[in-house]
Amino acid sequence: QVQLVESGGGLVQPGGSLRLSCAASGSIFSILAMKWYRQAPGKQREWVAGITSGGSTNYADSVKGRFTISKDNAKNTVYLQMNSLKPEDTAVYSCNANRNGMNYWGKGTLVTVSS
């Protein structure tokens, strides 16, 4: 089992920045593919960013150039640095881990972008 706990959400003004963290339990973090998803009320959950076990990253077009996903294997933590935030970025952000077809989810952290 992999347990994921997100943190770092909160209220931020448009144009501001926020860094989310996702701490994972277990000793297999380094071989997990990690992703960030988000879901706004009334909308489908969408993929935001991903990072492979080897460190390769990819982003949704809506956040490309503004968000950066990274991880620290020593800390069993994946991060999502969010810059130039827009009101449409408002959502519950959830961390996802994948290995051998198994998916693990955190409970999410709320990000609200508003003036």
Side-chain angles (χ1 to χ4, degrees):
Q1 272 287 326
V2 176
Q3 302 290 326
L4 305 173
V5 180
E6 302 95 337
S7 62
L11 176 65
V12 64
Q13 292 186 334
S17 298
L18 207 59
R19 189 177 78 158
L20 306 182
S21 298
C22 174
S25 66
S27 60
I28 62 171
F29 178 81
S30 63
I31 61 174
L32 295 172
M34 305 296 297
K35 299 175 182 177
W36 284 99
Y37 287 80
R38 67 186 183 186
Q39 186 170 26
K43 297 183 179 180
Q44 293 184 338
R45 182 172 60 194
E46 65 174 336
W47 169 77
V48 174
I51 186 167
T52 68
S53 59
S56 297
T57 61
N58 203 4
Y59 303 90
D61 289 341
S62 59
V63 307
K64 194 171 298 181
R66 300 187 298 121
F67 290 12
T68 302
I69 187 172
S70 63
K71 65 173 181 175
D72 187 335
N73 289 337
K75 296 181 178 179
N76 281 14
T77 301
V78 63
Y79 305 96
L80 185 67
Q81 178 65 48
M82 305 183 294
N83 299 324
S84 301
L85 284 162
K86 305 174 181 179
E88 52 262 45
D89 294 320
T90 296
V92 173
Y93 285 72
S94 300
C95 182
N96 168 269
N98 177 260
R99 179 177 180 269
N100 297 143
M102 299 288 290
N103 280 325
Y104 305 90
W105 293 91
K107 294 182 179 180
T109 184
L110 176 63
V111 172
T112 302
V113 185
S114 177
S115 60

